[in-house]
Amino acid sequence: MRKLFVYLTLAVGFLSPLFAQENSSQAESFYRAGQYAQALAAYEQDLKLYPNNPYLYYNIGNCYFKMGSKGLAIANYYRAFKLNPRHADIRHNLELALSSGGDTLVPTGIPPAVHRAFFSLSLAQLKGIVCLVGWLVCLLTGIWLLTRKGGKLTLAAGIVFVACASWYYMLHTWEKQPLAVIAAPAAELRSGPGTNFPASASISQGHLVQVLDSKDQWQQVVVRSEGLKGWVESSALEHI
Amino acid sequence: MKKFLLLLCCLCVSVAVQAQVLLKASTDKTDLALDDDLTLTVQVSGVSGTMVMPQLPSLPAFNIYAREAEQSTVNGRTTLLFRYVMVPRFVGSTSIGPIKFNYQGKTYQTEPIAIRIYKTAVPPTAQKQTTPAATNTAAKATDTDVNQLPPLEQELATRAYAHPNQIYFLTAATSQKKPYVNEPFTLAVRFYYAGAFYDAFYKNPEVSNLLLEEAGETQGQQTLHGRVYQYTEKRYRVSGVAPGQATIGPATVTYRVGSVNGSLLDRFFGGAAVSKEESVSSLPFKLTITSLPQEGKPESFYGAVGGAYTLSAKLDRDHAEAGEAVTLSVTVQGTGNLKTTSDLVFPEIPGFTAYPAAPQTGNVAGSTTRNYKVFQTVLVPTVSGSYTIASIPWSYFDPQTARYKTLNTRPLSLEVSPSSHTANALDFGAAGHTGSGIQTMGHDIRYILTVPTEHTSWLARLPQWKWMHALVLGWLALCLFIASIGRRTAQRKHAYTQAKAQLKKAHSYEDISDALATYLLQKWNISTASLPLKSIVQALARHNVPAAQCEEFSTLWKDLESARFSPAQSDPNALAQFSQRAQNLLKNWENLK
């Protein structure tokens, strides 16, 4: 019985990528045929197996974009961008989707080259580099302690480590900021958390907002492109 | 002058027009069945000031269940709208006589309206031969009139005969005995009285497996056993929840009647009469709720049971841009209970993203039996082009024919033009089967990517190597430990050389003491600063220093302190001697095993 269980576990482990592969090719067929809802369902099925796959988020974003749900498309492109910021297609589609709502990926005042350099590594990759440099610093420090040689190299490695750690901290802070996107066709920005407060603005689908606070079914947000601040119903938002 | 006269004429004409009062009366139908209701609308326009009610004629053929009044003023002209919902009491031809309205000393009146009331909802032509005048029948209502009453009133009247010689009693009856699930029917509770009372309070009956909703109140008169009774009737709209048995508990009316049985004291202080509270209840009864047939049940059936349903659909506009929201509303109206029905499922409309909204329900203005439900969905077209939104079906069960019937909305047209709000005139989506297909696209999103099963880079996997962290930290700790030990050994090894060099360069007794102290610290980790001489000697003994050498150190240390702190005893040659003694002592210690 135990053996059977082990064999079954191994079989599932080996076969699940094959099923996923088949699912993805089926999704692509749907997408090519313009059946975006079916393609979306297939990709979302895959996402349950690979929750951190940037390509799945990218493809899901494409499906939403084609179905006209710009807000949900942006949310998924953003998730893909966080996982793989260097990929040109992901960056292109995210910039295109954001530009249709008046938003930009690169904040005003920051040179695009700096932005690209900052996002040349994902948080997970940067964490790997911090680990690698950290190990190197430890190794060199040990050698220096024993032999009193290679002091300058150890110091240089230490400086690189501090720089990478700072970069990691900044990227981590950026990733953890509570961002959301307007997913409903339009959302009303109110002065308080309730319909009894007057609406000050109507925000169309696809605008990026920063979430500041939440009360019951309402969230306090700042619209990044306009600098407006107010309360929006939670159902109109898609958190990134 | 001419202009002034012209202006004056215009003013007079406008005042005359404003002063004209119009009185109109109309009904929503002139032929109706006994179980139907009639809405009489009286419109008075061109009045101002306080609202005055019109005077209705005697309406013996109807019970008035609801009254509504509306007032609107446009450009100083006030229009009053009065609605009366009436339920017929007798079969036959009758009329609503002239309705009068007094205003500023004048009396206005409407033309009579002829109404025909049929026993059932069959075509009027089949009933013409057997319809006596309703007005005459109503005027002469006696014990023998029961057979001409509508079924529900007939049952109420028949039940009333079971209470002979009672001054106050309550009867209740329903219009259906075996209703279908969710089929609306009427529960009437009638309070008969042939004497005075006051402060009457109705307690609604307790029900099980039924939904109960109040539907109005009316008064009337009936002769039973030759005695004239007045009655107050409350009606409820009822519908069954689930198949099976349902119960309607007793309804109760509590009232106060006058009495002369008060004490002398009561009479003196409170008057001659003292009231007492009494109550009467109706009998409880049971109903059987019939389940709906499964055969022939359409997919578009959402639970509505009833009749006279109408279905309509509309868009809030017939032209929109791609990406703009358009609201599609589907309205159902009928006599059934629509509140308990499920929400209409809008079919998927190609080329649109749909966002369904919560439906709204309510009663049709001026009717106690008709209600409506409005289903709305926000449609966002993704591609420009000409669209036709196909018919939307909605089915109900007709209890009269015991069959399901399906209504369809008419197809709706919508023109969608390319969006002018997005950058580069983007038109989201490009599904071939949805729009006209050809668009001038500035840019489009890039195609989907092939999804690799393994996508994590080796760099991203590094932090998962927890053993590597432990290994590196272990390495660092080991190096620190080894380095620390090496430093101690080196210090011990070089202690004599260092102390000897210090002694050779000594220029004061203090330098000699420091050299000795440094040697002791580095060689045996004995701190001379924190220990008294006795303890230092004991520490030396623990390091296997012979007693003679310990004594020698003790003497030397004391002499050095004396030399340092007693300058009078100091000798220039003594410094060299002290240095030599210290060197000899250290040499002996170095030779120790």
Side-chain angles (χ1 to χ4, degrees):
Chain A
M1 189 66 187
R2 265 187 196 173
K3 277 185 180 177
L4 181 67
F5 178 74
V6 170
Y7 289 144
L8 277 174
T9 311
L10 287 172
V12 168
F14 282 120
L15 290 176
S16 57
L18 295 176
F19 286 132
Q21 205 72 42
E22 192 185 338
N23 220 14
S24 287
S25 60
Q26 199 181 12
E28 191 182 347
S29 306
F30 283 134
Y31 188 88
R32 288 181 67 182
Q35 296 169 325
Y36 303 117
Q38 286 90 332
L40 176 68
Y43 283 129
E44 282 184 336
Q45 196 67 27
D46 278 0
L47 200 65
K48 287 175 187 170
L49 287 174
Y50 304 105
N52 291 319
N53 193 315
Y55 307 103
L56 282 174
Y57 282 118
Y58 169 84
N59 291 348
I60 288 169
N62 271 14
C63 292
Y64 275 124
F65 195 96
K66 290 290 183 189
M67 288 161 68
S69 299
K70 206 170 34 158
L72 291 170
I74 290 171
N76 282 285
Y77 287 146
Y78 232 101
R79 287 170 191 145
F81 179 75
K82 280 181 177 179
L83 292 166
N84 191 350
R86 277 198 311 277
H87 202 287
D89 287 356
I90 293 173
R91 193 180 180 93
H92 173 269
N93 283 8
L94 176 59
E95 281 181 334
L96 187 70
L98 285 173
S99 68
S100 61
D103 277 317
T104 52
L105 178 63
V106 183
T108 317
I110 294 178
V114 173
H115 189 267
R116 275 178 187 277
F118 184 71
F119 288 104
S120 58
L121 292 169
S122 71
L123 193 70
Q125 288 170 337
L126 197 54
K127 194 175 177 184
I129 288 181
V130 170
C131 283
L132 200 65
V133 178
W135 297 339
L136 189 68
V137 169
C138 288
L139 194 73
L140 291 174
T141 308
I143 293 169
W144 177 80
L145 281 170
L146 293 177
T147 62
R148 300 286 162 179
K149 285 176 184 171
K152 285 180 183 173
L153 188 66
T154 309
L155 186 67
I159 290 166
V160 171
F161 176 76
V162 171
C164 287
S166 307
W167 185 6
Y168 174 79
Y169 174 75
M170 284 191 282
L171 198 62
H172 184 266
T173 311
W174 175 82
E175 280 211 359
K176 293 297 165 194
Q177 62 177 333
L179 276 183
V181 66
I182 304 291
E188 283 180 334
L189 195 71
R190 294 181 180 274
S191 59
T195 48
N196 52 327
F197 293 95
S200 57
S202 178
I203 319 165
S204 60
Q205 188 181 192
H207 271 91
L208 272 180
V209 295
Q210 189 170 351
V211 181
L212 304 176
D213 194 6
S214 91
K215 281 193 195 309
D216 301 328
Q217 298 302 310
W218 292 82
Q219 311 240 331
Q220 192 184 29
V221 298
V222 172
V223 185
R224 291 196 354 164
S225 55
E226 308 293 335
L228 293 168
K229 188 177 174 184
W231 293 82
V232 174
E233 271 188 285
S234 301
S235 57
L237 292 176
E238 174 74 9
H239 286 265
I240 297 170
Chain B
M1 188 63 186
K2 277 182 182 176
K3 282 183 180 175
F4 176 73
L5 284 172
L6 193 66
L7 194 69
L8 198 66
C9 284
C10 288
L11 196 67
C12 289
V13 168
S14 70
V15 167
V17 167
Q18 282 200 353
Q20 195 179 358
V21 175
L22 288 173
L23 178 67
K24 281 197 289 184
S26 60
T27 55
D28 61 338
K29 58 192 92 158
T30 54
D31 298 291
L32 71 157
L34 266 178
D35 58 352
D36 204 351
D37 60 18
L38 180 80
T39 304
L40 168 67
T41 307
V42 181
Q43 187 182 336
V44 186
S45 51
V47 294
S48 59
T50 320
M51 186 190 285
V52 187
M53 299 287 283
Q55 295 168 6
L56 293 185
S58 172
L59 296 167
F62 296 97
N63 282 332
I64 300 176
Y65 275 92
R67 291 176 172 83
E68 271 186 9
E70 279 178 30
Q71 182 173 358
S72 59
T73 305
V74 180
N75 294 333
R77 286 172 66 84
T78 303
T79 303
L80 304 172
L81 205 66
F82 302 92
R83 278 198 206 92
Y84 304 90
V85 184
M86 306 189 292
V87 175
R89 299 183 62 209
F90 308 106
V91 173
S93 295
T94 183
S95 68
I96 298 170
I99 297 162
K100 291 178 182 172
F101 182 74
N102 293 320
Y103 180 68
Q104 292 183 344
K106 281 187 179 180
T107 303
Y108 303 86
Q109 64 177 39
T110 62
E111 292 295 316
I113 302 168
I115 304 289
R116 281 177 298 182
I117 305 160
Y118 301 102
K119 199 167 184 178
T120 58
V122 293
T125 48
Q127 297 286 324
K128 274 185 181 172
Q129 304 302 321
T130 58
T131 50
T135 47
N136 296 337
T137 322
K140 295 172 188 172
T142 64
D143 284 16
T144 55
D145 287 337
V146 171
N147 291 333
Q148 291 193 12
L149 294 170
L152 181 59
E153 292 208 13
Q154 211 175 79
E155 192 173 340
L156 282 167
T158 310
R159 290 187 180 203
Y161 274 105
H163 298 271
N165 302 324
Q166 286 187 22
I167 300 171
Y168 307 96
F169 61 90
L170 200 65
T171 59
T174 56
S175 61
Q176 293 280 353
K177 294 288 173 287
K178 289 184 176 180
Y180 286 99
V181 173
N182 209 25
E183 181 189 350
F185 60 97
T186 306
L187 164 68
V189 178
R190 193 177 276 184
F191 175 46
Y192 285 91
Y193 52 94
F197 71 93
Y198 60 96
D199 283 355
F201 173 72
Y202 278 81
K203 190 188 169 199
N204 290 343
E206 298 278 332
V207 292
S208 70
N209 196 23
L210 292 170
L211 292 174
L212 198 74
E213 193 180 350
E214 289 191 18
E217 193 175 308
T218 188
Q219 275 96 32
Q221 182 180 307
Q222 193 179 338
T223 307
L224 301 166
H225 305 293
R227 189 176 199 168
V228 177
Y229 280 88
Q230 304 292 323
Y231 63 78
T232 305
E233 185 182 311
K234 278 192 89 171
R235 288 202 171 196
Y236 303 89
R237 271 171 67 81
V238 192
S239 56
V241 176
Q245 204 172 60
T247 55
I248 298 175
T252 307
V253 176
T254 310
Y255 53 92
R256 300 188 80 81
V257 291
S259 167
V260 291
N261 296 333
S263 66
L264 189 65
L265 205 63
D266 286 339
R267 287 184 204 174
F268 180 78
F269 287 107
V274 177
S275 69
K276 66 170 182 178
E277 191 178 273
E278 290 181 356
S279 68
V280 285
S281 298
S282 63
L283 293 172
F285 50 98
K286 291 176 180 175
L287 300 170
T288 305
I289 309 296
T290 314
S291 60
L292 295 173
Q294 290 300 315
E295 190 184 344
K297 189 187 276 187
E299 278 187 19
S300 54
F301 177 69
Y302 301 102
V305 179
Y309 279 111
T310 59
L311 182 71
S312 63
K314 65 170 185 178
L315 290 167
D316 64 342
R317 58 175 118 173
D318 52 12
H319 181 269
E321 289 186 1
E324 277 185 349
V326 181
T327 306
L328 169 62
S329 306
V330 175
T331 307
V332 186
Q333 259 191 38
T335 55
N337 184 4
L338 289 169
K339 286 176 188 167
T340 54
T341 58
S342 312
D343 293 350
L344 170 75
V345 178
F346 284 94
E348 195 173 321
I349 305 168
F352 290 87
T353 308
Y355 300 92
Q360 297 169 347
T361 53
N363 288 327
V364 175
S367 173
T368 54
T369 54
R370 287 184 74 77
N371 57 153
Y372 67 87
K373 198 165 189 177
V374 183
F375 305 98
Q376 286 190 326
T377 184
V378 177
L379 299 173
V380 182
T382 52
V383 182
S384 60
S386 297
Y387 292 91
T388 301
I389 295 168
S391 298
I392 298 169
W394 187 87
S395 304
Y396 66 96
F397 182 76
D398 184 0
Q400 298 289 336
T401 58
R403 284 188 179 174
Y404 290 98
K405 291 180 178 174
T406 301
L407 303 172
N408 286 288
T409 62
R410 62 183 176 81
L412 299 169
S413 300
L414 179 68
E415 288 293 325
V416 179
S417 56
S419 174
S420 59
H421 298 297
T422 52
N424 303 321
L426 278 175
D427 200 2
F428 295 113
H433 62 278
T434 52
S436 58
I438 303 167
Q439 297 296 326
T440 310
M441 307 285 276
H443 294 95
D444 193 13
I445 53 166
R446 290 186 184 165
Y447 191 65
I448 51 170
L449 297 167
T450 307
V451 183
T453 50
E454 189 51 65
H455 62 89
T456 316
S457 73
W458 63 272
L459 265 176
R461 281 199 296 270
L462 283 183
Q464 296 165 8
W465 297 356
K466 306 284 182 196
W467 56 270
M468 192 65 184
H469 297 308
L471 195 72
V472 169
L473 287 174
W475 156 258
L476 194 62
L478 186 70
C479 290
L480 274 170
F481 180 71
I482 292 171
S484 166
I485 289 172
R487 202 166 130 255
R488 295 269 307 128
T489 312
Q491 276 180 348
R492 206 172 292 159
K493 193 176 173 184
H494 299 292
Y496 176 66
T497 320
Q498 200 177 338
K500 200 175 164 185
Q502 267 182 287
L503 288 170
K504 279 183 180 173
K505 291 177 188 171
H507 296 294
S508 63
Y509 300 112
E510 204 166 3
D511 292 342
I512 296 167
S513 296
D514 284 347
L516 277 172
T518 306
Y519 178 85
L520 288 172
L521 189 67
Q522 289 183 348
K523 181 83 176 174
W524 289 308
N525 201 25
I526 299 169
S527 172
T528 53
S530 59
L531 294 172
L533 182 59
K534 193 178 174 185
S535 301
I536 297 170
V537 172
Q538 284 172 352
L540 285 171
R542 279 199 297 275
H543 284 95
N544 299 325
V545 176
Q549 289 181 14
C550 288
E551 187 59 35
E552 194 180 340
F553 168 76
S554 180
T555 310
L556 177 63
W557 193 259
K558 282 178 189 166
D559 291 346
L560 277 170
E561 282 191 341
S562 300
R564 279 167 68 191
F565 301 113
S566 308
Q569 292 176 13
S570 65
D571 187 349
N573 297 323
L575 189 67
Q577 285 176 7
F578 275 116
S579 177
Q580 192 57 51
R581 279 172 65 188
Q583 281 183 50
N584 292 338
L585 191 61
L586 295 185
K587 197 176 177 180
N588 291 335
W589 284 349
E590 280 300 303
N591 292 331
L592 285 174
K593 284 187 181 176

